[in-house]
Amino acid sequence: MARPRTITDEQILGTMRSSVLEHGPAVSLDLVAEKLGVTGPALLKRFGSRQKLMIEALKPPEIPTWVEQHRALDGRPLQEQLETLFTDIWTFFSEAVPCVMALRESGIEDQLWQKAVGPGPLRGLTVLVKWLELAQGEALID
């Protein structure tokens, strides 16, 4: 009978992410495992390889976190909404860019990490353009 999992995949990914950002992409799996109270081989068993673990831990979300919150105008003054929108975009990219840079510097083949990163961050550009078009129309009405 298999032992029940005591830590979630998200806990592993979060610990790997923070460890890479603190120590660099060459961080020891043993250090990550120690922080989680497991062994390095347990991490590899869960994710298959160090490379897969790093990619999963560092790739940005497929849909940027700020996109759902800003699909439409919300009734507040446009300047306030715009400030919130750009703050949320800034927060997203300030978290995503160091992760993507760590992937780039990790030694993982460019094709593999670029495929994992995908167009996710750029998908938000479409949402931003639509939001700005809505805001422009709203401003013309006022």
Side-chain angles (χ1 to χ4, degrees), residues 2 7 10 13 18 34 43 46 51 60-62 65-66 71 73 75 77 85 95 101 123 131 135 137:
I7 56 172
E10 193 49 50
L13 295 173
S18 63
E34 183 180 320
L43 297 177
R46 184 86 65 98
Q51 181 174 291
E62 194 169 316
T65 51
W66 58 270
R71 286 206 183 268
L73 300 175
L85 171 63
E95 294 169 1
M101 295 307 297
R123 282 193 184 121
W131 190 93

Side-chain angles (χ1 to χ4, degrees), residues 6 26 39 51 53 58 68 91 93 98 100 106 117 119-121 125 133 135:
T6 57
T39 64
Q51 181 174 291
L53 174 56
L58 296 171
E68 287 305 317
T91 300
F93 279 103
V100 172
S106 69
V117 169
L125 183 60
E133 288 171 349

Side-chain angles (χ1 to χ4, degrees), residues 8-136:
T8 65
D9 286 352
E10 193 49 50
Q11 287 172 307
I12 294 170
L13 295 173
T15 301
M16 183 67 175
R17 184 179 314 108
S18 63
S19 297
V20 168
L21 294 175
E22 181 179 350
H23 301 286
V27 66
S28 162
L29 274 185
D30 290 334
L31 176 72
V32 177
E34 183 180 320
K35 288 181 177 184
L36 291 162
V38 298
T39 64
L43 297 177
L44 293 176
K45 183 176 180 183
R46 184 86 65 98
F47 286 90
S49 70
R50 175 187 174 83
Q51 181 174 291
K52 288 180 183 175
L53 174 56
M54 288 218 23
I55 289 171
E56 284 302 310
L58 296 171
K59 71 180 185 180
E62 194 169 316
I63 298 175
T65 51
W66 58 270
V67 167
E68 287 305 317
Q69 300 163 350
H70 299 284
R71 286 206 183 268
L73 300 175
D74 65 17
R76 292 178 295 148
L78 287 176
Q79 182 172 340
E80 185 179 328
Q81 290 183 66
L82 196 57
E83 288 172 2
T84 302
L85 171 63
F86 283 117
T87 298
D88 291 348
I89 291 171
W90 177 262
T91 300
F92 171 79
F93 279 103
S94 67
E95 294 169 1
V97 168
C99 291
V100 172
M101 295 307 297
L103 278 173
R104 182 175 176 260
E105 299 301 319
S106 69
I108 297 172
E109 288 181 40
D110 289 349
Q111 289 176 294
L112 292 175
W113 70 261
Q114 288 171 357
K115 181 179 179 183
V117 169
L122 296 178
R123 282 193 184 121
L125 183 60
T126 304
V127 172
L128 175 59
V129 168
K130 287 180 181 177
W131 190 93
L132 290 170
E133 288 171 349
L134 284 172
Q136 181 182 20

